[in-house]
Structures are given as C-alpha cells and as structure tokens.
Amino acid sequence: IAQRYLRPRRENLFVTLIGLISVAGVTVGVTAIIIVLSMLNGFESEVRSRFIGFDAHLKIKRPHEAPIENWKTMEDKLRTTSSIRGVSPYILEKGMITSESGAHVAFVKGTAENTITEVTELRRKLDVGSVDFGPQKNSYNGIIVGYSLAIQLDLGPGDTVTIISPVGVTSPFSLPIAKKFIISGIFRTDMFEYDNAYVFISIADAQRLFEMPDAVSGFDIKLEKIEQSWDMQKSLLQDLGHDWAVETWYDQHSDLYSAMQIEKWGSLVLLSMIIVVAGFNIISTLIMVVMQKTSDIGILKTIGANSKMISRIFVQQGLTVGSIGIVTGCLIGYTFCFLQIHFKLIKLPGDVFFLDSVPMELQWVDFVAIVCVAFGLCLFATFYPARKASSLQPIEALKS
C-alpha cells in the first residue's frame, strides 16, 4: 500500500513533486556530510603523518624536565621491552642560533645519528645534506636546521652558525656558553612550527652547551604500531613508577587534535540540518497524503486494519523516501571522494598549502554515523503523520 501511494498519479502530482524535493534534500545533505567529513579526515591524516614523522610515538622523561642520569642503563632496559622498535635519548633546550644574516631563538635538540633515524623520519625529511653530527670542515661539528629557519638566516650546507646557550647566565656580566657548527643538512616538513623552530646537534655537543654532563632530557620511543601507544603508556607507567612521565604522540599535540575532532563532529551536526529541512518536506508530503487518502484509511479500518497497521503504512512511505535519498547521497558522495583520491580533481596552490590537492580519507565509522543520523532523522519525520493517520476514526474518515 505504501508503494502504491508513492507512485505518481494525475491527482497527486503536487504531492509527488514535494516527495522528489524531499529525496533531493536528503541526497544533498548526505552527500555534503560525506564529502566534508572525508576532507577533514584527509587533512587530519596528513597532519598526523607529518607530526609522527617528526615526533616519536612516545616520549619518556622526568617530571618538570629534570635531567636523567645513568641514562644508558635506562636505554638498554627500554630496548629489551617488547613492541619497542626504536629508542633515542635526547636533550631538548632553547638556545640562540646566530649567523652573519641575523639571529633566531630555536629549540636545540641533541641526539645521535644512529638513533634519531630509528624513531623519526628525519632522514627522509632532509631537503639537502645528510644526518651527520660529526666533524665537518674547520673541525666544527655538524648541525641540521629547518627549512624556514635556513631561509630566515640565509643558510646553506657548509655555512657556519653559532649556538648560544642561556645556561649559566646569572648576571649581566656572565658570559653565555657558545659553540660554532657547520650546516650539514636542512630538513623540510612543510610545517612552519617545526621548520622554523628546531635544530639538531649531537648529544655530546648538547651536554656541553647546556651543562648536562652524562645526562639527557628524555627518550623518544617508536613502537611496532602507533595504535599501541596508549597500552604501552600504561604499561611503562606501571613499570617505571610515578617518578617518570610518559607522553603519547596524541598528548604532545592534544589541543590540535581535540580542535580537529570538535570541527569534524561539529560539521556532522551542522550539515545534518540539511537533512532536517528535508525531513520537514517529508512531513509535509505525508500529511498531504493522509489528507488525500482519508477515505482509504476509513475503508481499511472498516475491513479490519488496526491503528498500528495504518501507522506502519505511512512510516514505510516516509522511510522509502528517506532511504532513496540516503543511498543516492552515499553513491554520489563516495564516488566524488574516490575520484578525488585517485585523480586529484580539486587542486591546491602549492605555494600556500603543504599539499597539491584536497586530501580525502574514507572511514567506515563515518559511514555508519552518517547513515544512522540520516535514517534516524527521516524516521523521526514520519512519526506525526503516521500518528495522525492512525488516529482517524472509520466513520469520520468515510464521511469525508
């Protein structure tokens, strides 16, 4: 009966037109949600991959950044832990890097050539040069700087820079510790907060600059799978005790990831308003069908149909309209995302963004959420018309 009521006829062409508008509204809403969420997923994935390529999966350090002595024993212990693929001790402090073209405050990270490549993709991120902290020309040791910092200070491979440490400066007459380095490499992540703020030197040089003899700031850890970060964090905290702090890659950038999650699910809620508008069209369509089919409802009730059966007819009719819109919207949305992923239909200016096209990533969780939200809104839209139809009395319906 619901299918018969949906068929276009001469006497209900206007109702059919409103029904088609309802289908189009649901289709547009579902398509928009799929495209926007896939785009946000793509940007989130790109940002996460760049963060993880530069930062480790886990960081282990002392509370309040206290120096870690006897760190080699701790490093050996961590390397014997299952699921840990790489361990890299580091020293991280702020310092002034100067050249003939100017000066800039940056994070100075002391690390080792053989361990930093175990936990990060620094070697792959090199724009020029190599990961070499050993002696260069003029007997100065090597340093790796970020791309934006190199442009700001007009630096290239082989140039000389000086790092000035604030440690030990207690009065205007105190002399800071300074050390010269040769640029051995320039890395580029296309993320300004890294390319403009980090330099890498050897642990031995960092220990002398920041007066940390035989001590480090912490350890970078790389796991077999990034999804193991939270379980490994709990396990390490239990083994090491409260004298240690363990941060996951998410903890290091929690503000950014929280903002992206709020943006993603906020977009789902706001774009669902399109489906809500389509739901009002569904309500209008069903109410007009109820008004047109009042005599039919009276006959059905007279021959034995109960209120539940009458209600189900109009619920089925509304869900059919909504389902057609949901399926069509999914097909259009996912087809567009597939074409964007493989053929890069929407380009981005490379001199402004760190990507050459709009990224897309499809996730099954989003698919389930979109379908459930759209179906739930369409189902809600059928309640009032269905209740109105089921409450009609047979005698009044036949009199009409």
Side-chain angles (χ1 to χ4, degrees), residues 44 46 57 61 110-111 140 145 186 193 216 237 240 242 248 273 302 314 319 323 327 333 352 384:
E44 181 181 351
E46 284 290 335
H57 295 169
K61 55 188 179 181
T111 184
Y140 295 142
V145 301
I186 298 175
E193 56 265 40
V216 297
L237 286 173
L240 301 176
H242 297 291
T248 67
M273 296 299 103
T302 302
F314 292 94
L319 290 181
S323 298
V327 172
V352 178
Y384 177 75

Side-chain angles (χ1 to χ4, degrees), residues 292-309:
Q292 284 186 342
K293 303 298 181 182
T294 301
S295 59
D296 289 11
I297 295 171
I299 293 172
L300 288 170
K301 283 203 166 186
T302 302
I303 62 177
N306 55 29
S307 297
K308 186 177 181 180
M309 183 183 296

